[in-house]
Amino acid sequence: MENNITTISREELEELREAFSKIDIDNSGYVSDYELQDLFKEASLPLPGYKVREIVEKIIAVTDTNKDGRIDFQEFVSIIQELKSKDISKSFRKSINKKQGITAIGGTSAISSEGTQHSYSEEEKVAFVNWINKALQDDPDCKHLLPMNPSDASLFKSLADGILLCKMINFSQPDTIDERAINKKKLTPFTISENLNLALNSASAIGCTVVNIGSQDLQEGKPHLVLGLLWQIIKVGLFADIEISRNEALIALLNEGEELDQLMKLSPEELLLRWVNYHLANAGWQKINNFSQDIKDSRAYYHLLDQIAPKGGDLDKLPIKIDFSGFHDKNDLRRAEYMLQQADKLGCRQFVTPADVVAGNPKLNLAFVANLFNTYPALHKPDNSSYDLNLLEGESNEERTFRNWMNSLGVSPYVNHLYSDLSDALIIFQLYDMTRVLVDWNRVNKPPYPLLGGNMKKIENCNYAVELGKTKAKFSLVGIAGHDLNEGNPTLTLALVWQLMRRYTLNVLSDLGDGEKVNDEIIIKWVNQTLAKANKKTSIMSFKDKSISTSLPVLDLIDAIAPKAVRPEMVKREDLSSEDKLNNAKYAISVARKIGARIYALPDDLVEVKPKMVMTVFACLMGRGLNRIK
């Protein structure tokens, strides 16, 4: 039998012995599986955390020849020989393009890659695969796709038919997609494309930036685009309840002398950091400033887990004891593993491996903490109710729709709170840019703002934003001044934001109509002509037409634009109850997104006939109709 094991030279042997002794801190002559990652690094064979985890069991089973559960120097040398051998060199060929778990996609072919190279994180891929496997494990529609293997490219193949993406959007934001609109059986390239359109347009509607992603990219499984979109979708779900109007116990995080409205301006990331520090203070441990450098040693996590673990006071929750025996372990990687074993007792060993903790991966550690918060917040709303309860109402559907629209366009920074995040007008200037209103950026004050006079700088921006709206954009902004935007006056801020959204929507239509100006009358006329041509009995007089509450004009218009997209058996046409109307609206919006219309409106907007949002629905469908003709 031919021996394919590589011979190791005397010099290499000495280097390996030096590497081994560096990791074998206690000079026991052995290393454990937790020390293997460090060992590979020292031996100039760095492997990402997920790969180490994946091969640990194989190594212990195959290479641990004396079966003592530990690896001695001879066994380690055998591992290195095997990793370097010709036999398995194929599986490590990718390591040419891998460094610290970052995989580079691109290539030598100038035609195929056009000289570009996109990288993606293997650690993120593994974390997302595990999260999806757990989230959708009981969904019968995903049985043919799950569980996915985190160590190969099955994620990218599994997302290609659009079903998993649609399901993950609904997992993060329930009821975003009407399940009846998802194509699930006998899939063809066309029905797959519809699913991917549905997923992309629905992701956009919940505030994900999808500007540079098309259904073809997802079908081809382009890793950097797929992982970027997935992270946005997962984050929407993780952050959904980290918001005071949805979780009043967060009031417990108020600092001494701090007003509630200040706490409400914090982003979910800032609230999570404050939540961790609240529990660390109770534990008598130093506070952290980030989810990267400050958590690398796992010690803050130990104290956090100990604080939030159920103590057994509730009848329905048994106490969970956090074991601190690994807290003082000298090895960071091993300590992280022990800490994650404790997190597993809470059912929260998600998103990070020991290597991700030690490396301080900010994205995955943020997700790990958000999942801990959602599972065991361990907060109690203060007894005194001297807070303005109006502040706790939460955002309206209209406010959420505007915020999601802005975020889907990729404004920066991300808009978490419509009014406070617009107080310096920087987001508004970006939206002006996107709606072709020329902004003189030299006139715009940019952060960081000085402590003294900082708010004046913001008001100057707001004054300029109102001036642009009145003079360049020709908006109707009667009675609106810069300080109204700065102070977050809801009525006046919404008046400006609505006109920006309207202008954006009409610009899209104008482009499709070769620059011809479009207004409400033109849209209504087009809708009625299209319905009549398709022999439909429905029509609309205006965007306030009561018949819109049934969604039948919308569904008929979709059928006129894209025959067979609407399944007649899904639509209730006579004797409609309130529930029937809502079901029709849900179906109409999902099918509209499925045929390629980027609709931000909610089903309630149709049922309640909200004229502004109704206008955007018909305008988007008109855009889709004109696009098909072209």
Side-chain angles (χ1 to χ4, degrees), residues 241-251 373-374 377 379:
D241 289 328
I242 307 173
E243 208 257 300
I244 294 172
S245 66
R246 295 181 70 160
N247 194 336
E248 291 183 20
L250 283 163
I251 294 173
F373 173 88
N374 289 327
L379 290 175

Side-chain angles (χ1 to χ4, degrees), residues 369-493:
V369 172
N371 190 39
L372 280 174
F373 173 88
N374 289 327
T375 315
Y376 290 101
L379 290 175
H380 302 285
K381 187 183 170 189
D383 293 332
N384 59 341
S385 55
S386 59
Y387 305 111
D388 182 357
L389 294 178
N390 291 325
L391 286 173
L392 300 177
E393 277 183 8
E395 62 186 352
S396 67
N397 282 347
E398 186 180 31
E399 289 162 349
R400 185 161 78 251
T401 300
F402 287 145
R403 194 170 56 78
N404 286 338
W405 166 68
M406 293 173 187
N407 288 325
S408 75
L409 296 177
V411 296
S412 181
Y414 189 91
V415 181
N416 291 295
H417 310 293
L418 188 62
Y419 303 114
S420 57
D421 291 355
L422 266 54
S423 65
D424 65 357
L426 284 184
I427 299 293
I428 292 170
F429 291 132
Q430 292 172 58
L431 294 170
Y432 275 138
D433 259 356
M434 293 172 190
T435 54
R436 299 172 204 160
V437 175
L438 199 61
V439 177
D440 179 359
W441 285 96
N442 293 322
R443 281 188 62 180
V444 177
N445 301 313
K446 300 173 188 73
Y449 303 106
L451 284 175
L452 278 174
N455 203 49
M456 272 310 298
K457 296 285 183 191
K458 294 180 181 180
I459 290 173
E460 285 173 11
N461 281 356
C462 292
N463 286 334
Y464 180 40
V466 172
E467 178 194 319
L468 277 177
K470 288 176 176 175
T471 58
K472 295 275 176 66
K474 305 291 187 227
F475 289 164
S476 171
L477 298 175
V478 180
I480 300 181
H483 66 83
D484 295 314
L485 295 181
N486 178 254
E487 292 167 8
N489 179 303
T491 307
L492 301 178
T493 303

Side-chain angles (χ1 to χ4, degrees), residues 12 143 149 248 280 314 337 452 489 499 592 626 628:
E12 280 182 294
K143 287 268 187 277
N149 183 345
E248 291 183 20
L280 292 182
D314 297 337
E337 169 60 30
L452 278 174
N489 179 303
Q499 290 179 82
L626 292 175
R628 293 207 165 202

Side-chain angles (χ1 to χ4, degrees), residues 129-139 146 168 171 350:
V129 166
N130 289 333
W131 183 248
I132 294 168
N133 280 345
K134 185 180 177 187
L136 303 178
Q137 62 187 358
D138 297 323
D139 193 315
L146 300 181
M168 278 309 294
F171 180 77
Q350 286 282 345

Side-chain angles (χ1 to χ4, degrees), residues 152-384:
D152 61 21
S154 59
L155 170 68
F156 309 115
K157 294 189 185 85
S158 298
L159 290 175
D161 68 8
I163 294 174
L164 267 191
L165 269 177
C166 289
K167 296 283 186 174
M168 278 309 294
I169 288 167
N170 273 352
F171 180 77
S172 283
Q173 196 92 318
D175 284 336
T176 299
I177 296 173
D178 188 325
E179 289 263 340
R180 296 173 296 171
I182 305 172
N183 300 317
K184 298 174 184 174
K185 293 175 182 173
K186 295 179 182 174
L187 295 176
T188 66
F190 178 74
T191 56
I192 286 171
S193 180
E194 282 190 328
N195 279 349
L196 292 168
N197 280 334
L198 175 57
L200 282 171
N201 290 323
S202 300
S204 183
I206 62 171
C208 300
T209 306
V210 297
V211 175
N212 296 315
I213 310 174
S215 60
Q216 193 62 32
D217 297 318
L218 298 178
Q219 221 162 330
E220 290 169 10
K222 291 185 178 173
H224 64 292
L225 294 177
V226 168
L227 291 178
L229 177 60
L230 261 184
W231 168 238
Q232 292 186 79
I233 292 167
I234 290 169
K235 193 162 73 162
V236 165
L238 288 174
F239 286 2
D241 289 328
I242 307 173
E243 208 257 300
I244 294 172
S245 66
R246 295 181 70 160
N247 194 336
E248 291 183 20
L250 283 163
I251 294 173
L253 302 181
L254 271 170
N255 288 332
E256 189 89 23
E258 185 179 35
E259 294 293 328
L260 181 57
D261 66 331
Q262 290 303 114
L263 188 69
M264 293 193 71
K265 288 176 183 174
L266 298 183
S267 68
E269 291 93 333
E270 291 166 329
L271 279 172
L272 277 177
L273 197 59
R274 190 174 287 203
W275 172 72
V276 172
N277 285 327
Y278 169 86
H279 286 302
L280 292 182
N282 289 339
W285 192 254
Q286 70 238 35
K287 73 174 202 173
I288 63 168
N289 297 305
N290 53 61
F291 294 119
S292 50
Q293 195 66 32
D294 291 1
I295 50 79
K296 284 183 173 185
D297 65 2
S298 301
R299 292 193 169 109
Y301 280 159
Y302 261 108
H303 285 293
L304 175 63
L305 292 171
D306 189 48
Q307 288 293 313
I308 66 175
K311 303 298 183 279
D314 297 337
L315 292 173
D316 57 335
K317 282 186 181 172
L318 294 170
I320 297 174
K321 176 75 176 158
I322 299 300
D323 180 358
F324 268 72
S325 59
F327 184 84
H328 296 292
D329 197 293
K330 290 179 181 176
N331 182 283
D332 283 349
L333 206 62
R334 196 162 51 215
R335 192 185 317 112
E337 169 60 30
Y338 291 144
M339 179 276 294
L340 286 174
Q341 287 174 13
Q342 302 311 303
D344 202 20
K345 291 180 182 177
L346 303 180
C348 293
R349 187 182 175 142
Q350 286 282 345
F351 292 111
V352 289
T353 62
D356 299 327
V357 175
V358 174
N361 183 315
K363 188 183 289 185
L364 296 182
N365 278 284
L366 176 67
F368 171 66
V369 172
N371 190 39
L372 280 174
F373 173 88
N374 289 327
T375 315
Y376 290 101
L379 290 175
H380 302 285
K381 187 183 170 189
D383 293 332
N384 59 341

